[in-house]
Amino acid sequence: MKNTYRQIIIFWFTCLLAANAAFSQETLFGTNNYIEYQVGTLPIVISVPHGGYTSPNSIPDRTCNNPVFATDAFSIELAEKISASLFELTGCYPHIIYNHLKRSKLDCNRNLSDGACGNPEAKIAWNEFHNYIDTAQLIANIKFNENTIYIDLHGHGNSIQRIELGYLLYDDELELADSILNTSKYINYSTVKNLVYNNAANLSHSQLLRGDLALGTLLGNKGYPSVPSLQIPFPGTKTNYYSGGYNIAEHTCYASGNTVNGVQMECNYSGIRDSESNRVKFADSLAAVLLNFLNIHRNVDVSNCNSSNGFSELKETSGISVFPNPIKSADHILYVAGNDHSEFNYILLNIDGRLIQAGRSDNDKIVLQRRLLPGIYLLRIKGKDKPAGFKIVVD
């Protein structure tokens, strides 16, 4: 009986710890709660653009440029399970950005014009979605020295039940010989371009796409057939394979000045999204694969994911200045000079790595939304090239 009571106490204490840890994650919401950003401390950023259910009358259904309305069923629920699995393995969460609007109202995997169709309310949500991705990547890069991986998570309705990994390479391009895929032409097309030039085993582009240690191969080894991979090197030209869309073109190293490697992950329905138990099973496998992938290719150790605040990796960028610095606690405007364009995305963290404020600048200045307590803060701004970082002293 004594052991039984002991087990009960341990069980409830474990639940309490888990609950406190879960509640410690910071969540930010955009206007009208259409966009949600769950702030993480892992070098993993996940966006879910097509899983929303909210359908406000104030936003008309999109009609511009032959819109697609299909919802990626249970993709939000799948991301939630992935987050839980990563937390279980590491004690830390990934960064996740959700679009809660139905795709008929807003498509966040299209450019602003096609995604929002000119509706002011939808345009605000579109901008918030993409600004949160920028913010998440900046935070992750600070904490893990530019070793962030980005996944744009989708669900596909193709008849072949396999995961489709989109690197912005078309189906016929994936059929090319390794020697051709390894040329600079096709490396520059790729959303893992940065990884090609900087991976621990010096693997080639084709090996990272479909070799022994490719993301698709690691998933296939877990029982989830994926393309491209060692098991399925290319999809075939008549399978309606998804090579990737707007998000991974804008938020990976395919875009100039971005160091993040990423992929559009199209998950099949059967065996992955179709039930809660299958979502949990896949999430457990994907979480292990992602951590293994980061460790294999970039020697990323996430054991200190709750302790790093990014200051040790801070490198100030010449030519850009922030003033006043020091700034008085009562002041509420920071000015940025020398940036290549007047508007920019930024994040402001305290010395513990907690997010204080993030968003887009008001031309060449940052308007502080609340009074800052005296201390040291970290400001990162994303200009045209690599992000610039500054220690801000508040006195």
Side-chain angles (χ1 to χ4, degrees):
M1 183 66 70
K2 189 174 182 180
N3 286 335
T4 301
Y5 284 132
R6 175 183 171 86
Q7 290 170 354
I8 292 173
I9 292 171
I10 291 173
F11 172 77
W12 283 112
F13 183 67
T14 302
C15 290
L16 180 62
L17 288 177
N20 287 337
F23 284 126
S24 68
Q25 185 181 25
E26 187 170 11
T27 300
L28 306 177
F29 287 95
T31 308
N32 298 315
N33 294 339
Y34 293 155
I35 308 299
E36 177 182 353
Y37 170 29
Q38 294 182 355
V39 183
T41 54
L42 287 171
I44 299 169
V45 177
I46 301 171
S47 60
V48 189
H50 295 158
Y53 302 104
T54 303
S55 183
N57 292 330
S58 55
I59 303 178
D61 286 350
R62 295 162 49 241
T63 58
C64 62
N65 199 17
N66 299 314
V68 176
F69 287 174
T71 297
D72 292 351
F74 300 108
S75 54
I76 287 179
E77 292 83 351
L78 181 60
E80 290 171 344
K81 300 303 182 186
I82 295 168
S83 181
S85 294
L86 284 166
F87 178 78
E88 185 175 342
L89 287 173
T90 67
C92 298
Y93 293 101
H95 300 261
I96 303 187
I97 299 91
Y98 298 107
N99 169 29
H100 288 295
L101 284 169
K102 290 192 70 173
R103 196 175 179 184
S104 58
K105 304 296 183 179
L106 176 66
D107 191 335
C108 285
N109 196 29
R110 298 289 187 274
N111 61 41
L112 176 59
S113 177
D114 292 341
C117 290
N119 179 267
E121 200 172 335
K123 288 168 67 175
I124 291 172
W126 187 97
N127 278 305
E128 289 172 342
F129 181 87
H130 289 279
N131 286 341
Y132 279 145
I133 295 175
D134 287 337
T135 297
Q137 291 186 351
L138 283 171
I139 293 173
N141 276 339
I142 290 169
K143 289 174 117 24
F144 288 93
N145 196 26
E146 309 289 325
N147 283 317
T148 302
I149 186 169
Y150 167 56
I151 294 175
D152 194 39
L153 188 67
H154 295 257
H156 73 73
N158 291 344
S159 58
I160 304 176
Q161 296 300 293
R162 63 188 182 189
I163 298 170
E164 297 180 356
L165 301 174
Y167 299 95
L168 292 183
L169 296 166
Y170 296 119
D171 46 16
D172 58 335
E173 293 174 329
L174 289 172
E175 293 191 7
L176 295 172
D178 290 351
S179 58
I180 298 177
L181 281 176
N182 291 335
T183 61
S184 59
K185 174 182 177 180
Y186 290 98
I187 293 173
N188 287 330
Y189 289 160
S190 176
T191 58
V192 290
K193 173 174 61 177
N194 177 279
L195 190 61
V196 176
Y197 296 120
N198 183 15
N199 69 82
N202 199 29
L203 299 179
S204 68
H205 186 213
S206 63
Q207 289 173 317
L208 290 169
L209 294 176
R210 57 193 184 201
D212 291 339
L213 299 175
L215 180 62
T217 303
L218 297 176
L219 285 168
N221 292 341
K222 289 284 190 180
Y224 294 97
S226 304
V227 61
S229 64
L230 183 66
Q231 300 92 338
I232 313 173
F234 48 83
T237 57
K238 296 182 180 180
T239 62
N240 198 27
Y241 162 76
Y242 295 97
S243 62
Y246 180 86
N247 291 345
I248 60 166
E250 289 294 311
H251 298 290
T252 67
C253 52
Y254 176 83
S256 175
N258 195 319
T259 61
V260 174
N261 297 288
V263 64
Q264 179 166 312
M265 182 176 289
E266 294 274 354
C267 296
N268 48 285
Y269 188 73
S270 298
I272 294 182
R273 293 182 289 128
D274 54 351
S275 70
E276 182 172 2
S277 61
N278 281 336
R279 290 191 289 273
V280 170
K281 183 180 177 182
F282 173 71
D284 288 345
S285 294
L286 179 61
V289 164
L290 289 176
L291 296 173
N292 194 25
F293 185 86
L294 285 166
N295 184 41
I296 290 171
H297 296 301
R298 297 294 276 263
N299 294 320
V300 176
D301 178 10
V302 301
S303 61
N304 64 341
C305 53
N306 267 328
S307 62
S308 173
N309 60 22
F311 281 87
S312 60
E313 296 87 5
L314 179 61
K315 295 179 181 179
E316 305 233 351
T317 300
S318 60
I320 301 177
S321 59
V322 177
F323 59 93
N325 190 15
I327 183 174
K328 298 294 184 184
S329 181
D331 293 341
H332 64 281
I333 295 179
L334 280 170
Y335 295 91
V336 177
N339 194 30
D340 48 14
H341 54 286
S342 59
E343 292 188 353
F344 51 86
N345 291 314
Y346 69 89
I347 58 171
L348 183 66
L349 308 174
N350 68 10
I351 198 168
D352 296 319
R354 181 177 175 82
L355 179 64
I356 300 300
Q357 183 173 320
R360 192 160 182 83
S361 67
D362 181 4
N363 292 318
D364 61 350
K365 61 181 180 290
I366 296 170
V367 179
L368 300 173
Q369 296 169 357
R370 58 182 175 179
R371 184 187 182 105
L372 298 180
L373 297 175
I376 298 175
Y377 295 79
L378 167 62
L379 174 69
R380 295 278 280 190
I381 68 173
K382 182 181 179 183
K384 184 178 180 181
D385 298 314
K386 290 186 177 181
F390 303 89
K391 288 180 181 176
I392 305 298
V393 177
V394 178
D395 58 22

